[in-house]
Amino acid sequence: MADSEALPSLAGDPVAVEALLRAVFGVVVDEAIQKGTSASQKVCEWKEPEELKQLLDLELRSQGESQEQILERCRTVIRYSVKTGHPRFFNQLFSGLDPHALAGRIITESLNTSQYTYEIAPVFVLMEEEVLRKLRALVGWSSGDGIFCPGGSISNMYAVNLARYQRYPDCKQRGLRTLPPLALFTSKECHYSIQKGAAFLGLGTDSVRVVKADERGKMVPEDLERQIGMAEAEGAVPFLVSATSGTTVLGAFDPLEAIADVCQRHGLWLHVDAAWGGSVLLSQTHRHLLDGIQRADSVAWNPHKLLAAGLQCSALLLQDTSNLLKRCHGSQASYLFQQDKFYDVALDTGDKVVQCGRRVDCLKLWLMWKAQGDQGLERRIDQAFALARLRGKQDSPDYHERLSKVAPVLKERMVKEGSMMIGYQPHGTRGNFFRVVVANPALTCADMDFLLNELERLGQDL
Amino acid sequence: MADSEALPSLAGDPVAVEALLRAVFGVVVDEAIQKGTSASQKVCEWKEPEELKQLLDLELRSQGESQEQILERCRTVIRYSVKTGHPRFFNQLFSGLDPHALAGRIITESLNTSQYTYEIAPVFVLMEEEVLRKLRALVGWSSGDGIFCPGGSISNMYAVNLARYQRYPDCKQRGLRTLPPLALFTSKECHYSIQKGAAFLGLGTDSVRVVKADERGKMVPEDLERQIGMAEAEGAVPFLVSATSGTTVLGAFDPLEAIADVCQRHGLWLHVDAAWGGSVLLSQTHRHLLDGIQRADSVAWNPHKLLAAGLQCSALLLQDTSNLLKRCHGSQASYLFQQDKFYDVALDTGDKVVQCGRRVDCLKLWLMWKAQGDQGLERRIDQAFALARLRGKQDSPDYHERLSKVAPVLKERMVKEGSMMIGYQPHGTRGNFFRVVVANPALTCADMDFLLNELERLGQDL
């Protein structure tokens, strides 16, 4: 096809549609999947923003382009994108490319439906229910409720909104103005979404009381107790504690049993942000880190992180069986949730959320789980713990000190060479240090050795 | 491969990974794309929930399954899912299957990154900026801000949160308790997310003042003026008007110029929920329906609806150039938004949102736009308007009366036969009627004729 020839509309031409999609899929397999997960290729092809803009030719114009041009654009997009499935990508709490999950995601995209009614998502309404049931069973609940959310931050917000609604059902209609000042509690190591959520929900960030963490990053239950007393003394009403299983920076697991005791004594909603650590429940060896999670009222768990299900796969799980989710968020839109439907309208789960259209996030997890079984997923978790021990090298006397000083420089060098990607940040008195996230199920000891050797190589002149 | 043989982990075996994904993609092309968009096939294969559960065998077990079993599961999932790309699917405000958008979505899934930093999403940070710039230009703005959200409901919530923050910046920290009662205004035809958002944001549904709509579903500006006066008389502080361009049920376009006049007089934030109707801005013939939108402070526009970009593709556009979005939502997480990075950290857009991880929603729209050009997309909009005229048959004397009585029965029959899908609901004094959504770019006059003839056929004994 000539480069300048405009593509006729593909609609109504199944042969052309199939040819285009097969060609694009070929590019995806070669460039994103094979090269994108090969240790012999770069993890990223760094370009300065201005140069990248030129390379991408982003402008949207009046005329359409030929199929050849479109294919070339697909190649360019993949080429300059970061390969998060690459074994040298340690940069975020997600990494790796599970082929079954990816298969589920491609099917999800091709079916393009919304999760809100049984009518248009019969398979996925039932599947979401089953996946949530399985996750709840791992938490230790034989009944309950739940929903997939667009990310753990929204899951955390839902928990806060549900807790305040349960205590003050009037606030849905009348708002916060007539309520006493509310207080929620979380440790200084919590995810920043707790602060963001408090602001967004109208509580204000002042309503978040920050509880001390020990040097390993775990919430100190005695300080929680103290903070609750202080809040009450100031006239605030404590209503929720958000504990964390797997903190963002240090990977710490808060002591849930002790925190649950405090919540029980004071009648507070216990939310566990297990976005990162929830998947550890699959490991018989390590699940003790979450002992007490069964006493929570709500749990946020993101299988797109440690299980590599693909962005986004974020479950909010509830112990509640009183339909709290629907009562709190529902508004009974008559155009979507008609009550005179010919099937059981309890299957229309869309009114449980504050979204309207909602993506299907269950299939990728379900299909991966069917392929791996509990056993396969458990092996991944155990392997991640084994690899994360980092084989002792981090104990060399000047490791922390050197990293602290040179982290931004090392980061720039690794990205511009494309050899690997790790995130860094300061933490308390530590200064900058690298947060090596070990989540990719394809990682081996050789990859971890590479990581340490490469840090040494990149920094040898510093 | 024997049916009972467990699949070894595919990680580290690129040949097996490629074989699996090519096999799944073959199933997707045959079943979801070719059959799924063919008028000679059913739009859905209805099963009662209990039967469907059996057919799907949803349970997640300890053992993994063979590749053959996994492929069969893929076929089953597609078989019993509703084909939203089918020319007889008129059920929701999204439909159709654009091949270029689908190509973009498959690439997005294979790259699996989050949109929050330039570091890990260099291509998509720049691309989102360009796509938002293009959408803003169609609104009539040469500068501004914006972000893609997980659905129009969240976009609408953002608008409300931004408006209250602009007026009362303290509320981010101190919450709503210290503020006077706030009032926002929208018509009775608005999307239900305005109510949901008011509850979620802590304002309470009482803060939503419902303005009259005329018989075509358009907001009555005189009543808006009256409602503002009433709210003020009751001691509330008006702060936002949410107008709608393309209401959910009737597809009405509120008179934006007159509403903007009212907002200007009272100093109110004007938000336009153009989730459905925004795409009409691409049509020189029909864009007058949104005259005045350039006077808005914020616009919600979902290209996943009328442009068939795929769920979800929801832009929130802002006229603001003062970094309001980041000031309102930001919390400067040090592990993600390090200020000592080696590139311009203004490119890290993640702190503009209340999510943390955020899906890439720009590529599918950008790739489709590159392929179609403004001209191709404009033709789609014009064609949708032409087809929506329904060729006169709806004017038969007893059309509305018959539909009103028999809509739930007709719906059950069409779904169980799988011949087509249309949503129905009551509206005011109208009783039940069918909402025929004409959005699929592949629709022809023949499909519209089929729709009317099929309604007659299904209901001939009623």
Side-chain angles (χ1 to χ4, degrees):
Chain A
M1 188 179 282
D3 205 32
S4 58
E5 187 184 340
L7 187 74
S9 170
L10 296 175
D13 183 351
V15 176
V17 167
E18 180 163 340
L20 169 77
L21 288 172
R22 286 200 186 274
V24 170
F25 189 70
V27 172
V28 165
V29 167
D30 293 344
E31 304 298 324
I33 298 172
Q34 297 295 22
K35 290 189 194 163
T37 60
S38 164
S40 67
Q41 303 282 326
K42 288 184 177 182
V43 63
C44 62
E45 175 80 44
W46 172 263
K47 296 289 171 191
E48 297 294 335
E50 284 310 315
E51 187 187 356
L52 186 52
K53 275 186 201 173
Q54 299 305 317
L55 289 165
L56 292 170
D57 178 29
L58 290 165
E59 189 187 347
L60 297 169
R61 304 193 180 86
S62 183
Q63 291 283 339
E65 297 186 348
S66 72
Q67 179 156 341
E68 210 165 75
Q69 286 170 305
I70 293 295
L71 271 177
E72 189 51 36
R73 294 200 176 280
C74 293
R75 282 190 203 97
T76 308
V77 163
I78 296 172
R79 177 168 180 191
Y80 296 110
S81 288
V82 171
K83 308 304 184 297
T84 66
H86 194 283
R88 306 292 148 75
F89 181 82
F90 302 96
N91 210 75
Q92 313 297 141
L93 295 180
F94 61 89
S95 58
L97 194 67
D98 181 277
H100 297 102
L102 181 57
R105 286 144 65 199
I106 291 171
I107 295 170
T108 300
E109 294 300 325
S110 73
L111 292 171
N112 192 44
T113 198
S114 171
Q115 183 81 53
Y116 41 47
T117 62
Y118 183 79
E119 185 176 320
I120 66 157
V123 172
F124 303 125
V125 163
L126 300 179
M127 188 179 283
E128 181 174 69
E129 185 176 272
E130 179 64 21
V131 171
L132 292 170
R133 197 196 62 71
K134 181 77 178 185
L135 297 176
R136 281 197 305 266
L138 285 162
V139 167
W141 299 336
S142 58
S143 62
D145 200 353
I147 205 80
F148 279 95
C149 293
S153 297
I154 307 278
S155 295
N156 288 341
M157 274 182 219
Y158 273 24
V160 173
N161 194 42
L162 291 165
R164 77 175 174 188
Y165 174 78
Q166 191 189 49
R167 186 168 291 224
Y168 301 105
D170 269 5
C171 78
K172 180 177 177 180
Q173 185 189 334
R174 302 181 60 196
L176 297 176
R177 283 197 71 259
T178 57
L179 301 187
L182 302 179
L184 63 102
F185 303 82
T186 190
S187 93
K188 73 186 192 60
E189 295 294 324
C190 78
H191 189 254
Y192 69 100
S193 56
I194 303 294
Q195 302 278 345
K196 284 204 176 190
F200 197 65
L201 295 167
L203 295 164
T205 54
D206 280 352
S207 68
V208 180
R209 308 291 176 124
V210 179
V211 180
K212 282 184 188 156
D214 65 18
E215 60 178 7
R216 298 293 298 275
K218 300 178 187 190
M219 186 189 285
V220 178
E222 297 73 21
D223 193 57
L224 171 61
E225 187 87 54
R226 198 178 65 86
Q227 294 277 353
I228 291 170
M230 279 172 57
E232 284 172 339
E234 292 167 21
V237 177
F239 75 108
L240 173 137
V241 175
S242 180
T244 311
S245 290
T247 61
T248 312
V249 176
L250 298 177
F253 289 78
D254 284 347
L256 299 181
E257 290 284 11
I259 293 169
D261 287 344
V262 176
C263 288
Q264 200 171 325
R265 260 199 305 282
H266 295 271
L268 307 185
W269 180 289
L270 175 55
H271 173 64
V272 178
D273 177 356
W276 173 232
S279 301
V280 176
L281 290 167
L282 280 153
S283 163
Q284 295 305 314
T285 310
H286 300 287
R287 62 167 290 142
H288 65 87
L289 291 167
L290 297 98
D291 278 354
I293 196 169
Q294 74 285 354
R295 297 172 66 189
D297 296 283
S298 55
V299 172
W301 177 351
N302 289 7
H304 72 237
K305 294 192 161 83
L306 205 39
L307 292 183
L311 289 163
Q312 290 180 330
C313 190
S314 299
L316 175 71
L317 308 172
L318 298 171
Q319 193 168 173
D320 172 77
T321 55
S322 74
N323 221 6
L324 184 67
L325 204 46
K326 206 178 241 180
R327 284 185 289 122
C328 177
H329 291 150
S331 77
Q332 299 89 44
S334 65
Y335 79 96
L336 205 51
F337 307 116
Q338 305 92 327
Q339 297 303 299
D340 56 355
K341 282 184 178 175
F342 62 92
Y343 60 84
D344 177 6
V345 293
L347 291 165
D348 290 353
T349 52
D351 223 16
K352 291 185 178 183
V353 298
V354 300
Q355 298 179 274
C356 176
R358 186 164 63 91
R359 286 180 53 85
V360 172
D361 289 330
C362 58
L363 173 60
K364 52 196 172 191
L365 178 58
W366 180 83
L367 198 64
M368 177 175 75
W369 209 313
K370 278 286 191 188
Q372 290 283 331
D374 302 350
Q375 293 181 348
L377 297 180
E378 178 173 20
R379 275 196 301 272
R380 286 190 186 178
I381 304 299
D382 290 343
Q383 189 186 356
F385 271 90
L387 291 172
R389 294 213 174 85
L390 268 184
R391 302 171 66 77
K393 295 202 187 184
Q394 70 182 123
D395 294 330
S396 64
D398 57 349
Y399 180 87
H400 281 296
E401 195 188 337
R402 281 174 60 199
L403 281 188
S404 174
K405 289 183 188 148
V406 302
V409 182
L410 286 177
K411 178 66 179 259
E412 178 169 6
R413 290 181 181 180
M414 71 177 77
V415 169
K416 290 190 170 171
E417 289 198 19
S419 63
M420 67 178 181
M421 288 184 74
I422 320 176
Y424 72 88
Q425 72 272 303
H427 183 271
T429 58
R430 283 186 182 89
N432 281 323
F433 71 107
F434 279 108
R435 181 185 67 152
V436 178
V437 181
V438 182
N440 182 343
L443 287 181
T444 64
C445 288
D447 294 311
M448 304 312 289
D449 285 339
F450 172 86
L451 184 155
L452 294 167
N453 293 332
E454 181 70 0
L455 277 180
E456 288 184 11
R457 186 185 72 79
L458 290 168
Q460 61 193 353
D461 63 326
L462 295 174
Chain B
M1 189 178 283
D3 204 32
S4 59
E5 187 185 339
L7 187 72
S9 168
L10 296 175
D13 184 351
V15 177
V17 166
E18 179 163 342
L20 170 78
L21 288 171
R22 286 201 185 274
V24 171
F25 189 70
V27 171
V28 164
V29 167
D30 292 346
E31 303 298 323
I33 298 172
Q34 296 295 19
K35 289 189 195 165
T37 60
S38 163
S40 66
Q41 303 282 324
K42 288 183 177 183
V43 63
C44 62
E45 176 79 46
W46 172 263
K47 296 290 171 192
E48 296 294 333
E50 284 311 314
E51 188 187 355
L52 185 53
K53 275 184 199 173
Q54 299 306 314
L55 289 165
L56 292 170
D57 179 29
L58 289 166
E59 188 186 347
L60 296 168
R61 303 193 181 87
S62 183
Q63 292 284 337
E65 296 186 348
S66 72
Q67 180 157 341
E68 209 165 75
Q69 286 171 304
I70 293 295
L71 271 178
E72 188 52 35
R73 293 200 176 281
C74 293
R75 281 190 203 97
T76 308
V77 162
I78 295 172
R79 176 168 181 189
Y80 297 110
S81 288
V82 171
K83 309 305 183 297
T84 67
H86 194 286
R88 305 293 147 76
F89 181 82
F90 302 96
N91 209 76
Q92 312 299 140
L93 294 181
F94 61 90
S95 59
L97 194 66
D98 180 276
H100 296 102
L102 181 57
R105 287 144 65 197
I106 291 171
I107 295 170
T108 300
E109 294 299 325
S110 73
L111 292 172
N112 193 44
T113 199
S114 171
Q115 183 82 53
Y116 40 46
T117 62
Y118 183 79
E119 184 176 322
I120 67 159
V123 172
F124 303 125
V125 163
L126 299 179
M127 189 180 283
E128 183 175 68
E129 187 177 271
E130 179 64 22
V131 172
L132 291 170
R133 196 196 62 72
K134 181 77 177 183
L135 296 177
R136 281 197 306 265
L138 285 162
V139 166
W141 298 335
S142 58
S143 63
D145 200 353
I147 205 81
F148 278 95
C149 293
S153 296
I154 307 279
S155 296
N156 288 341
M157 276 184 219
Y158 273 25
V160 173
N161 194 42
L162 291 165
R164 76 175 174 188
Y165 174 77
Q166 191 189 47
R167 186 169 290 224
Y168 300 105
D170 268 6
C171 79
K172 180 177 177 180
Q173 185 189 334
R174 302 181 62 197
L176 296 176
R177 283 196 70 260
T178 57
L179 301 187
L182 303 178
L184 63 103
F185 302 81
T186 189
S187 93
K188 73 186 192 58
E189 295 294 324
C190 79
H191 189 254
Y192 70 99
S193 56
I194 303 294
Q195 302 277 344
K196 284 204 176 191
F200 197 64
L201 296 168
L203 295 164
T205 53
D206 280 352
S207 68
V208 181
R209 308 290 176 123
V210 179
V211 180
K212 281 184 189 157
D214 66 19
E215 59 176 9
R216 298 292 299 275
K218 300 178 186 189
M219 185 189 284
V220 178
E222 297 73 20
D223 193 56
L224 171 61
E225 187 87 55
R226 199 179 63 87
Q227 294 276 353
I228 292 170
M230 279 172 59
E232 284 172 339
E234 292 167 21
V237 176
F239 74 109
L240 173 138
V241 174
S242 180
T244 312
S245 291
T247 61
T248 312
V249 175
L250 297 178
F253 288 78
D254 284 347
L256 299 182
E257 289 285 10
I259 293 169
D261 288 343
V262 176
C263 288
Q264 200 171 326
R265 261 199 304 281
H266 294 273
L268 307 185
W269 180 289
L270 174 57
H271 174 63
V272 178
D273 177 355
W276 172 231
S279 300
V280 176
L281 289 168
L282 279 153
S283 163
Q284 295 305 317
T285 311
H286 300 287
R287 63 166 292 142
H288 65 87
L289 290 167
L290 296 98
D291 278 353
I293 195 168
Q294 75 284 355
R295 297 172 65 187
D297 295 284
S298 56
V299 171
W301 176 352
N302 289 7
H304 72 238
K305 294 193 162 82
L306 205 40
L307 292 183
L311 288 163
Q312 291 178 330
C313 190
S314 299
L316 174 70
L317 307 172
L318 297 171
Q319 194 169 170
D320 172 76
T321 54
S322 73
N323 222 7
L324 184 68
L325 204 45
K326 205 177 240 181
R327 286 186 288 123
C328 178
H329 292 148
S331 77
Q332 299 90 41
S334 64
Y335 79 94
L336 205 51
F337 307 117
Q338 304 93 325
Q339 297 303 300
D340 56 356
K341 282 184 176 175
F342 63 92
Y343 60 84
D344 177 6
V345 294
L347 291 165
D348 290 354
T349 51
D351 224 15
K352 291 186 179 184
V353 297
V354 300
Q355 297 179 275
C356 176
R358 185 165 62 93
R359 287 179 53 85
V360 172
D361 289 331
C362 57
L363 173 60
K364 52 197 172 191
L365 178 57
W366 181 83
L367 197 63
M368 178 174 75
W369 209 312
K370 278 286 191 188
Q372 290 283 330
D374 302 350
Q375 293 180 349
L377 297 179
E378 178 173 19
R379 274 196 300 272
R380 288 190 185 178
I381 304 299
D382 290 343
Q383 189 185 357
F385 271 90
L387 292 172
R389 295 214 173 84
L390 268 184
R391 302 172 66 75
K393 294 204 185 182
Q394 68 182 123
D395 294 330
S396 62
D398 56 349
Y399 180 87
H400 281 296
E401 193 187 340
R402 282 173 61 197
L403 279 188
S404 175
K405 288 180 188 150
V406 301
V409 182
L410 287 177
K411 177 67 178 257
E412 179 169 4
R413 290 181 181 181
M414 70 177 77
V415 168
K416 289 189 172 172
E417 289 198 19
S419 62
M420 67 178 180
M421 288 185 75
I422 320 177
Y424 72 88
Q425 71 273 304
H427 183 273
T429 57
R430 282 186 181 88
N432 281 323
F433 71 108
F434 279 107
R435 181 185 67 153
V436 178
V437 181
V438 182
N440 183 343
L443 287 182
T444 64
C445 287
D447 295 310
M448 304 311 290
D449 285 339
F450 173 87
L451 184 155
L452 294 167
N453 293 332
E454 181 70 0
L455 277 180
E456 288 184 11
R457 186 185 72 80
L458 290 167
Q460 62 193 352
D461 63 328
L462 294 173

PDB file of all heavy atoms in Angstrom, chain B residues 328-339:
ATOM      1  N   CYS B 328      -5.119  21.060  43.712  1.00  0.00           N
ATOM      2  CA  CYS B 328      -6.294  20.503  44.393  1.00  0.00           C
ATOM      3  C   CYS B 328      -6.070  19.043  44.795  1.00  0.00           C
ATOM      4  O   CYS B 328      -6.423  18.635  45.893  1.00  0.00           O
ATOM      5  CB  CYS B 328      -7.509  20.622  43.482  1.00  0.00           C
ATOM      6  SG  CYS B 328      -9.016  19.914  44.158  1.00  0.00           S
ATOM      7  N   HIS B 329      -5.481  18.257  43.899  1.00  0.00           N
ATOM      8  CA  HIS B 329      -5.387  16.813  44.139  1.00  0.00           C
ATOM      9  C   HIS B 329      -4.018  16.349  44.625  1.00  0.00           C
ATOM     10  O   HIS B 329      -3.898  15.235  45.120  1.00  0.00           O
ATOM     11  CB  HIS B 329      -5.743  16.047  42.862  1.00  0.00           C
ATOM     12  CG  HIS B 329      -7.175  16.174  42.464  1.00  0.00           C
ATOM     13  ND1 HIS B 329      -7.605  16.155  41.163  1.00  0.00           N
ATOM     14  CD2 HIS B 329      -8.291  16.342  43.213  1.00  0.00           C
ATOM     15  CE1 HIS B 329      -8.922  16.287  41.130  1.00  0.00           C
ATOM     16  NE2 HIS B 329      -9.354  16.402  42.361  1.00  0.00           N
ATOM     17  N   GLY B 330      -2.999  17.174  44.454  1.00  0.00           N
ATOM     18  CA  GLY B 330      -1.633  16.712  44.698  1.00  0.00           C
ATOM     19  C   GLY B 330      -1.318  16.451  46.160  1.00  0.00           C
ATOM     20  O   GLY B 330      -1.891  17.064  47.061  1.00  0.00           O
ATOM     21  N   SER B 331      -0.394  15.510  46.373  1.00  0.00           N
ATOM     22  CA  SER B 331       0.106  15.309  47.736  1.00  0.00           C
ATOM     23  C   SER B 331       1.606  15.030  47.753  1.00  0.00           C
ATOM     24  O   SER B 331       2.148  14.654  48.773  1.00  0.00           O
ATOM     25  CB  SER B 331      -0.650  14.179  48.440  1.00  0.00           C
ATOM     26  OG  SER B 331      -0.180  12.936  47.964  1.00  0.00           O
ATOM     27  N   GLN B 332       2.268  15.184  46.609  1.00  0.00           N
ATOM     28  CA  GLN B 332       3.740  15.131  46.531  1.00  0.00           C
ATOM     29  C   GLN B 332       4.354  13.904  47.199  1.00  0.00           C
ATOM     30  O   GLN B 332       5.259  14.023  48.023  1.00  0.00           O
ATOM     31  CB  GLN B 332       4.351  16.407  47.146  1.00  0.00           C
ATOM     32  CG  GLN B 332       3.958  17.699  46.477  1.00  0.00           C
ATOM     33  CD  GLN B 332       2.701  18.320  47.082  1.00  0.00           C
ATOM     34  OE1 GLN B 332       2.531  18.327  48.283  1.00  0.00           O
ATOM     35  NE2 GLN B 332       1.819  18.818  46.242  1.00  0.00           N
ATOM     36  N   ALA B 333       3.871  12.728  46.815  1.00  0.00           N
ATOM     37  CA  ALA B 333       4.453  11.498  47.373  1.00  0.00           C
ATOM     38  C   ALA B 333       5.929  11.428  46.995  1.00  0.00           C
ATOM     39  O   ALA B 333       6.280  11.479  45.818  1.00  0.00           O
ATOM     40  CB  ALA B 333       3.705  10.285  46.826  1.00  0.00           C
ATOM     41  N   SER B 334       6.776  11.259  47.989  1.00  0.00           N
ATOM     42  CA  SER B 334       8.218  11.361  47.728  1.00  0.00           C
ATOM     43  C   SER B 334       8.766  10.133  47.015  1.00  0.00           C
ATOM     44  O   SER B 334       9.820  10.186  46.411  1.00  0.00           O
ATOM     45  CB  SER B 334       8.972  11.578  49.032  1.00  0.00           C
ATOM     46  OG  SER B 334       8.814  10.442  49.859  1.00  0.00           O
ATOM     47  N   TYR B 335       8.042   9.012  47.069  1.00  0.00           N
ATOM     48  CA  TYR B 335       8.578   7.811  46.429  1.00  0.00           C
ATOM     49  C   TYR B 335       8.314   7.785  44.927  1.00  0.00           C
ATOM     50  O   TYR B 335       8.904   6.995  44.204  1.00  0.00           O
ATOM     51  CB  TYR B 335       8.016   6.549  47.081  1.00  0.00           C
ATOM     52  CG  TYR B 335       6.624   6.170  46.651  1.00  0.00           C
ATOM     53  CD1 TYR B 335       6.415   5.261  45.618  1.00  0.00           C
ATOM     54  CD2 TYR B 335       5.505   6.732  47.256  1.00  0.00           C
ATOM     55  CE1 TYR B 335       5.145   4.914  45.212  1.00  0.00           C
ATOM     56  CE2 TYR B 335       4.242   6.400  46.862  1.00  0.00           C
ATOM     57  CZ  TYR B 335       4.049   5.490  45.845  1.00  0.00           C
ATOM     58  OH  TYR B 335       2.788   5.159  45.444  1.00  0.00           O
ATOM     59  N   LEU B 336       7.414   8.669  44.477  1.00  0.00           N
ATOM     60  CA  LEU B 336       7.006   8.631  43.081  1.00  0.00           C
ATOM     61  C   LEU B 336       7.386   9.918  42.362  1.00  0.00           C
ATOM     62  O   LEU B 336       7.817   9.909  41.220  1.00  0.00           O
ATOM     63  CB  LEU B 336       5.484   8.437  43.035  1.00  0.00           C
ATOM     64  CG  LEU B 336       4.835   7.802  41.825  1.00  0.00           C
ATOM     65  CD1 LEU B 336       5.496   6.491  41.450  1.00  0.00           C
ATOM     66  CD2 LEU B 336       3.345   7.581  42.126  1.00  0.00           C
ATOM     67  N   PHE B 337       7.223  11.013  43.061  1.00  0.00           N
ATOM     68  CA  PHE B 337       7.403  12.322  42.441  1.00  0.00           C
ATOM     69  C   PHE B 337       8.623  13.028  43.033  1.00  0.00           C
ATOM     70  O   PHE B 337       8.549  14.167  43.489  1.00  0.00           O
ATOM     71  CB  PHE B 337       6.137  13.156  42.607  1.00  0.00           C
ATOM     72  CG  PHE B 337       4.903  12.444  42.121  1.00  0.00           C
ATOM     73  CD1 PHE B 337       3.878  12.113  42.989  1.00  0.00           C
ATOM     74  CD2 PHE B 337       4.777  12.070  40.785  1.00  0.00           C
ATOM     75  CE1 PHE B 337       2.746  11.441  42.550  1.00  0.00           C
ATOM     76  CE2 PHE B 337       3.641  11.396  40.334  1.00  0.00           C
ATOM     77  CZ  PHE B 337       2.621  11.078  41.216  1.00  0.00           C
ATOM     78  N   GLN B 338       9.749  12.323  43.005  1.00  0.00           N
ATOM     79  CA  GLN B 338      10.996  12.902  43.515  1.00  0.00           C
ATOM     80  C   GLN B 338      11.298  14.195  42.758  1.00  0.00           C
ATOM     81  O   GLN B 338      11.207  14.244  41.533  1.00  0.00           O
ATOM     82  CB  GLN B 338      12.164  11.912  43.310  1.00  0.00           C
ATOM     83  CG  GLN B 338      11.951  10.545  43.935  1.00  0.00           C
ATOM     84  CD  GLN B 338      11.333   9.549  42.964  1.00  0.00           C
ATOM     85  OE1 GLN B 338      10.522   9.916  42.131  1.00  0.00           O
ATOM     86  NE2 GLN B 338      11.705   8.289  43.095  1.00  0.00           N
ATOM     87  N   GLN B 339      11.684  15.209  43.494  1.00  0.00           N
ATOM     88  CA  GLN B 339      11.921  16.518  42.872  1.00  0.00           C
ATOM     89  C   GLN B 339      13.349  16.662  42.362  1.00  0.00           C
ATOM     90  O   GLN B 339      13.676  17.634  41.690  1.00  0.00           O
ATOM     91  CB  GLN B 339      11.568  17.640  43.861  1.00  0.00           C
ATOM     92  CG  GLN B 339      10.090  17.652  44.254  1.00  0.00           C
ATOM     93  CD  GLN B 339       9.143  17.784  43.056  1.00  0.00           C
ATOM     94  OE1 GLN B 339       9.203  18.762  42.320  1.00  0.00           O
ATOM     95  NE2 GLN B 339       8.280  16.790  42.839  1.00  0.00           N
TER      96      GLN B 339
END
